[in-house]
Amino acid sequence: MDTVVGVCYEGGVVIAADQSNGRSILTYQTNLDKIAKLSSHSMMGVSGPNCDLVNFTQYVAKNINLYELSNDGTKLSTKAQANFARGELATALRKGPFQVNVLLAGYDDKTKGSLYHLDYMGAMQKVKYGAQGYAQYFVSSIFDKDCTENMTEEDAVKIVEKCIKEIHTRFLMSQPNFIIKKVDKDGVKVLSFDADPADT
Amino acid sequence: MARRYDSSTTTFSPEGRLHQVEYAIEAINNAGTCVGILAKDGIVMASERRITSGLLAPAKVSEKTYQLCKHAACNVAGLTADANILIDQARLRAGRYQYQYQEPIPVEQLVEYVCNYKQFYTQRGGLRPFGVAFLFAGYDEHHGFQLYQSDPSGNYSGWKATVIGANNQAGKSLLKTEYKTGEEAEESIPDLQEALKLAVKVLNKTMDGTTSAAAAEKMELYTMSMEDGECAHNILNKVEAQKVIDAVEAESASAGDS
């Protein structure tokens, strides 16, 4: 039921996710942050049941942190992080799968911004833009029409906001709040949110 | 008294030493010499082939140089049988890293892994330390070309140029005078060809008494360089090796110190 969308631009990536946390027919909260920071220059937007969502993001983030600690601060590239996450999803698939679909974004000095689309079965694809959840059916046409080469951060944010507006008007489910984050040369930053995740 | 502590690798002697580990390190100092030199555009490793008997079939391609993965190789000084175990471990580690991250393993991580494996055998009871010292040459995107050496204790260190094995002291002192370091070093770091010649020069010194006539069979020359963004490994064949050896011969003759 969750929505995660991501768009690459020249020098970074923007990811937006809805902030609803619910199960069955019940909404628990609407200020959840589903975009986890993995390292200084990477983040992961995750859709799925809250238990797997938290479990998986923490597991990946902590392992990436452990790698940096045990290797004198050597950083994993975004590609390596994505492949690591994919491997964990694929391994878990034959045991107790994580029911999560992921958009993983990062910034590297060499490759600049990059975005990876992963599903819970361990299929991975490097993409320029992508979405997880029912949102895919609504926003793919927007990406197709509006995404171009050499977009600026403003262009990318505008597209993401257009996606959110489309979901608000056409999607049956209630997803009142969205959080938008970006990653670029200066690291991960929150651009905006409709409800503060820090509120309890 | 000290003999009591010889039999156990894992017990400190009263002077606070691990005799077996020290003996293993000492054993390396009698093994065939290996020279490693960092060049501007690659790495050179040269090693001594000890021909024990004329009846022995010579190595087909290499005897002392082993490729570990696409971007790393090593030279062995010491027990080849022990080395094979460690090389297997290194290749497995490199392969697993590539599988997990779809990226080549950083060279220092590979070296550290092998050294941790060696260290384990200096601490666990009933085990003998590996009688092997390595020179590792490798390339990664983090630090470019790198040269490391390791000893049986599990210590490792990075070098611009170094020697392990027999007469390594003499070899190192020659490198110290011939390989420029310090402020003006950036300019004068040798290229591959110069480094090859320097490596041969060092081997000539450590393998004293070797006449150049048979030298090509007694030296294994290896270069690592970048070609089209890929690491290129090259073991010089007899003709190529002889060419380098002759060039060194000619240079020293013209310098007048023959």
Side-chain angles (χ1 to χ4, degrees), chain A residues 67 70-71 74-77 79-80 83-84 88 110, chain B residues 97 99-103 106 108-109 112 141-143:
Chain A
Y67 180 98
S70 46
N71 295 303
T74 304
K75 286 199 153 55
L76 279 173
S77 68
K79 183 189 167 199
N83 274 289
F84 170 75
E88 294 306 322
K110 222 180 237 166
Chain B
Y97 189 99
Y99 175 65
Q100 187 170 28
Y101 298 109
Q102 296 293 312
E103 267 183 7
E108 190 169 351
Q109 268 184 58
E112 191 173 305
E141 58 171 323
H142 304 285
H143 300 107

Short mmCIF file of all heavy atoms in Angstrom, two decimals, chain A residues 67 70-71 74-77 79-80 83-84 88 110, chain B residues 97 99-103 106 108-109 112 141-143:
data_model
loop_
_atom_site.label_atom_id
_atom_site.label_comp_id
_atom_site.label_asym_id
_atom_site.label_seq_id
_atom_site.Cartn_x
_atom_site.Cartn_y
_atom_site.Cartn_z
N TYR A 67 31.12 -2.03 7.94
CA TYR A 67 32.14 -2.11 6.89
C TYR A 67 33.08 -0.91 7.00
O TYR A 67 34.30 -1.06 6.94
CB TYR A 67 31.48 -2.14 5.51
CG TYR A 67 32.46 -2.22 4.36
CD1 TYR A 67 32.75 -3.43 3.76
CD2 TYR A 67 33.07 -1.08 3.87
CE1 TYR A 67 33.64 -3.51 2.71
CE2 TYR A 67 33.98 -1.14 2.82
CZ TYR A 67 34.25 -2.36 2.24
OH TYR A 67 35.14 -2.42 1.21
N SER A 70 35.32 -1.20 10.10
CA SER A 70 36.37 -2.23 10.10
C SER A 70 37.37 -2.06 8.96
O SER A 70 38.33 -2.80 8.89
CB SER A 70 35.74 -3.63 10.06
OG SER A 70 34.72 -3.69 9.12
N ASN A 71 37.16 -1.07 8.10
CA ASN A 71 38.10 -0.88 7.00
C ASN A 71 38.64 0.55 6.92
O ASN A 71 38.73 1.13 5.84
CB ASN A 71 37.46 -1.29 5.67
CG ASN A 71 37.15 -2.77 5.63
OD1 ASN A 71 38.03 -3.59 5.80
ND2 ASN A 71 35.89 -3.10 5.45
N THR A 74 36.98 3.24 4.79
CA THR A 74 36.72 3.01 3.36
C THR A 74 35.22 2.92 3.14
O THR A 74 34.53 2.19 3.84
CB THR A 74 37.36 1.70 2.89
OG1 THR A 74 38.74 1.74 3.19
CG2 THR A 74 37.18 1.50 1.40
N LYS A 75 34.72 3.70 2.17
CA LYS A 75 33.27 3.71 1.96
C LYS A 75 32.88 2.74 0.85
O LYS A 75 33.60 2.60 -0.13
CB LYS A 75 32.84 5.13 1.57
CG LYS A 75 32.83 6.08 2.75
CD LYS A 75 31.98 7.30 2.44
CE LYS A 75 31.40 7.92 3.69
NZ LYS A 75 32.38 8.28 4.70
N LEU A 76 31.72 2.11 1.04
CA LEU A 76 31.17 1.28 -0.04
C LEU A 76 30.54 2.21 -1.06
O LEU A 76 29.85 3.16 -0.69
CB LEU A 76 30.11 0.34 0.52
CG LEU A 76 30.60 -0.94 1.20
CD1 LEU A 76 29.42 -1.66 1.83
CD2 LEU A 76 31.29 -1.85 0.22
N SER A 77 30.73 1.92 -2.32
CA SER A 77 30.07 2.71 -3.35
C SER A 77 28.58 2.39 -3.33
O SER A 77 28.15 1.40 -2.74
CB SER A 77 30.66 2.36 -4.72
OG SER A 77 30.30 1.04 -5.05
N LYS A 79 26.82 1.36 -5.75
CA LYS A 79 26.65 0.08 -6.44
C LYS A 79 26.88 -1.09 -5.50
O LYS A 79 26.11 -2.06 -5.48
CB LYS A 79 27.63 0.02 -7.62
CG LYS A 79 27.52 -1.22 -8.45
CD LYS A 79 28.67 -1.29 -9.45
CE LYS A 79 28.75 -2.66 -10.09
NZ LYS A 79 30.08 -2.90 -10.68
N ALA A 80 27.95 -1.00 -4.69
CA ALA A 80 28.27 -2.08 -3.75
C ALA A 80 27.18 -2.21 -2.69
O ALA A 80 26.78 -3.32 -2.32
CB ALA A 80 29.62 -1.83 -3.10
N ASN A 83 24.15 -3.86 -4.26
CA ASN A 83 24.38 -5.29 -4.46
C ASN A 83 24.37 -6.05 -3.15
O ASN A 83 23.92 -7.20 -3.10
CB ASN A 83 25.70 -5.51 -5.21
CG ASN A 83 25.52 -5.43 -6.70
OD1 ASN A 83 24.93 -6.30 -7.30
ND2 ASN A 83 25.97 -4.33 -7.30
N PHE A 84 24.88 -5.41 -2.10
CA PHE A 84 24.84 -6.04 -0.78
C PHE A 84 23.38 -6.24 -0.35
O PHE A 84 22.98 -7.34 0.05
CB PHE A 84 25.58 -5.18 0.24
CG PHE A 84 25.39 -5.64 1.66
CD1 PHE A 84 26.04 -6.78 2.12
CD2 PHE A 84 24.54 -4.97 2.51
CE1 PHE A 84 25.84 -7.21 3.42
CE2 PHE A 84 24.34 -5.40 3.81
CZ PHE A 84 24.99 -6.53 4.26
N GLU A 88 21.24 -9.76 0.32
CA GLU A 88 20.54 -10.10 1.56
C GLU A 88 19.08 -10.46 1.28
O GLU A 88 18.53 -11.38 1.89
CB GLU A 88 20.62 -8.94 2.55
CG GLU A 88 22.03 -8.64 3.05
CD GLU A 88 22.73 -9.85 3.64
OE1 GLU A 88 22.05 -10.65 4.33
OE2 GLU A 88 23.93 -10.03 3.38
N LYS A 110 32.79 9.59 -8.20
CA LYS A 110 33.05 9.20 -9.58
C LYS A 110 31.76 9.12 -10.42
O LYS A 110 31.68 9.70 -11.49
CB LYS A 110 33.77 7.84 -9.61
CG LYS A 110 34.90 7.79 -10.63
CD LYS A 110 35.58 6.44 -10.61
CE LYS A 110 37.08 6.59 -10.34
NZ LYS A 110 37.69 5.29 -9.99
N TYR B 97 34.12 -11.54 -2.14
CA TYR B 97 33.87 -10.09 -2.08
C TYR B 97 33.23 -9.61 -3.38
O TYR B 97 32.25 -8.88 -3.38
CB TYR B 97 35.19 -9.33 -1.85
CG TYR B 97 35.00 -7.86 -1.57
CD1 TYR B 97 35.04 -7.37 -0.27
CD2 TYR B 97 34.78 -6.95 -2.59
CE1 TYR B 97 34.86 -6.04 0.00
CE2 TYR B 97 34.60 -5.60 -2.34
CZ TYR B 97 34.65 -5.15 -1.04
OH TYR B 97 34.46 -3.81 -0.78
N TYR B 99 31.48 -11.37 -5.36
CA TYR B 99 30.12 -11.90 -5.40
C TYR B 99 29.17 -11.07 -4.55
O TYR B 99 28.04 -10.78 -4.96
CB TYR B 99 30.13 -13.35 -4.92
CG TYR B 99 28.77 -13.98 -4.79
CD1 TYR B 99 27.98 -14.20 -5.92
CD2 TYR B 99 28.27 -14.37 -3.56
CE1 TYR B 99 26.73 -14.77 -5.81
CE2 TYR B 99 27.02 -14.95 -3.45
CZ TYR B 99 26.25 -15.14 -4.57
OH TYR B 99 25.01 -15.71 -4.47
N GLN B 100 29.65 -10.66 -3.39
CA GLN B 100 28.77 -9.93 -2.47
C GLN B 100 28.51 -8.50 -2.93
O GLN B 100 27.38 -8.02 -2.85
CB GLN B 100 29.39 -9.91 -1.06
CG GLN B 100 28.44 -9.33 -0.02
CD GLN B 100 28.94 -9.53 1.40
OE1 GLN B 100 30.14 -9.63 1.64
NE2 GLN B 100 28.02 -9.58 2.34
N TYR B 101 29.55 -7.83 -3.38
CA TYR B 101 29.40 -6.40 -3.71
C TYR B 101 29.45 -6.10 -5.20
O TYR B 101 29.30 -4.96 -5.60
CB TYR B 101 30.48 -5.59 -3.00
CG TYR B 101 30.41 -5.68 -1.49
CD1 TYR B 101 31.38 -6.37 -0.77
CD2 TYR B 101 29.38 -5.07 -0.78
CE1 TYR B 101 31.32 -6.45 0.61
CE2 TYR B 101 29.32 -5.15 0.60
CZ TYR B 101 30.30 -5.84 1.29
OH TYR B 101 30.24 -5.93 2.66
N GLN B 102 29.71 -7.10 -6.02
CA GLN B 102 29.88 -6.90 -7.46
C GLN B 102 30.95 -5.85 -7.76
O GLN B 102 30.84 -5.08 -8.70
CB GLN B 102 28.55 -6.51 -8.12
CG GLN B 102 27.50 -7.58 -8.04
CD GLN B 102 27.85 -8.82 -8.83
OE1 GLN B 102 28.23 -8.73 -9.99
NE2 GLN B 102 27.75 -9.98 -8.23
N GLU B 103 31.94 -5.81 -6.89
CA GLU B 103 33.05 -4.88 -7.05
C GLU B 103 34.33 -5.55 -6.60
O GLU B 103 34.28 -6.42 -5.73
CB GLU B 103 32.82 -3.62 -6.19
CG GLU B 103 32.15 -2.52 -6.95
CD GLU B 103 31.97 -1.25 -6.15
OE1 GLU B 103 32.49 -1.14 -5.04
OE2 GLU B 103 31.30 -0.37 -6.68
N PRO B 106 39.15 -4.11 -2.19
CA PRO B 106 40.30 -3.23 -2.02
C PRO B 106 41.53 -4.06 -1.63
O PRO B 106 41.42 -5.00 -0.85
CB PRO B 106 39.87 -2.31 -0.89
CG PRO B 106 38.39 -2.29 -0.94
CD PRO B 106 38.00 -3.67 -1.38
N GLU B 108 44.21 -3.67 0.17
CA GLU B 108 44.64 -3.80 1.57
C GLU B 108 43.75 -4.76 2.34
O GLU B 108 44.20 -5.49 3.21
CB GLU B 108 44.69 -2.44 2.25
CG GLU B 108 45.37 -2.54 3.61
CD GLU B 108 45.70 -1.20 4.24
OE1 GLU B 108 45.56 -0.17 3.57
OE2 GLU B 108 46.08 -1.21 5.43
N GLN B 109 42.47 -4.79 2.01
CA GLN B 109 41.55 -5.71 2.69
C GLN B 109 41.92 -7.16 2.41
O GLN B 109 41.82 -8.03 3.27
CB GLN B 109 40.12 -5.46 2.22
CG GLN B 109 39.38 -4.48 3.10
CD GLN B 109 37.94 -4.33 2.66
OE1 GLN B 109 37.21 -5.29 2.62
NE2 GLN B 109 37.57 -3.11 2.33
N GLU B 112 45.07 -7.89 4.35
CA GLU B 112 44.76 -8.01 5.77
C GLU B 112 44.10 -9.36 6.07
O GLU B 112 44.38 -9.98 7.09
CB GLU B 112 43.85 -6.86 6.20
CG GLU B 112 43.69 -6.78 7.71
CD GLU B 112 42.93 -5.53 8.15
OE1 GLU B 112 43.36 -4.42 7.78
OE2 GLU B 112 41.91 -5.69 8.82
N GLU B 141 40.60 1.28 -6.91
CA GLU B 141 40.22 2.65 -7.25
C GLU B 141 40.48 3.62 -6.09
O GLU B 141 40.50 4.83 -6.29
CB GLU B 141 38.74 2.70 -7.65
CG GLU B 141 37.82 2.19 -6.56
CD GLU B 141 36.35 2.44 -6.88
OE1 GLU B 141 36.05 3.49 -7.45
OE2 GLU B 141 35.52 1.59 -6.52
N HIS B 142 40.67 3.08 -4.89
CA HIS B 142 40.88 3.96 -3.73
C HIS B 142 42.30 4.52 -3.69
O HIS B 142 42.49 5.72 -3.54
CB HIS B 142 40.59 3.21 -2.43
CG HIS B 142 39.22 2.61 -2.37
ND1 HIS B 142 38.12 3.38 -2.14
CD2 HIS B 142 38.78 1.35 -2.53
CE1 HIS B 142 37.04 2.60 -2.15
NE2 HIS B 142 37.42 1.36 -2.41
N HIS B 143 43.29 3.64 -3.84
CA HIS B 143 44.68 4.08 -3.67
C HIS B 143 45.59 3.74 -4.85
O HIS B 143 46.81 3.80 -4.71
CB HIS B 143 45.24 3.48 -2.37
CG HIS B 143 44.48 3.90 -1.15
ND1 HIS B 143 43.64 3.04 -0.47
CD2 HIS B 143 44.39 5.10 -0.52
CE1 HIS B 143 43.08 3.70 0.55
NE2 HIS B 143 43.51 4.94 0.53
#
